[in-house]
Amino acid sequence: MSAVEMRSERMPLGDGFTVSFVFQNRKLEADWQPRVPYGRKGRKYLPAYRLARDEFLRRLAKRTGLSVLVVDL
């Protein structure tokens, strides 16, 4: 399998938070701006984060033909 790399644009999550994604070396990384909030404040952004992540992964799968599995713990 050849190396697959894909980057996303910044996606708004609300209240000035954004996230962008990089898929590289078979790993998904998320970059929050400003820094990811923790605790109850952070949970508020999970639905928007998951929508953004799922859209990025949908685009990745469509572009590459890869099957993608996400396990949320």
Side-chain angles (χ1 to χ4, degrees):
M1 180 172 121
S2 62
V4 174
E5 182 176 324
M6 187 168 156
R7 297 175 184 276
S8 77
E9 68 281 359
R10 290 222 156 270
M11 300 176 186
L13 302 177
D15 299 329
F17 286 98
T18 63
V19 67
S20 63
F21 298 96
V22 176
F23 182 81
Q24 177 176 315
N25 300 324
R26 294 185 273 185
K27 290 190 328 188
L28 177 66
E29 294 183 12
D31 178 37
W32 285 68
Q33 293 296 324
R35 189 177 203 168
V36 62
Y38 292 97
R40 285 186 180 179
K41 185 176 181 183
R43 281 187 287 245
K44 171 182 172 181
Y45 301 100
L46 277 177
Y49 166 81
R50 287 180 178 139
L51 284 172
R53 179 201 61 200
D54 293 350
E55 176 59 21
F56 173 74
L57 293 175
R58 185 191 67 74
R59 291 177 191 173
L60 174 70
K62 185 175 180 178
R63 185 180 122 192
T64 64
L66 294 173
S67 294
V68 178
L69 170 70
V70 174
V71 178
D72 267 330
L73 301 175

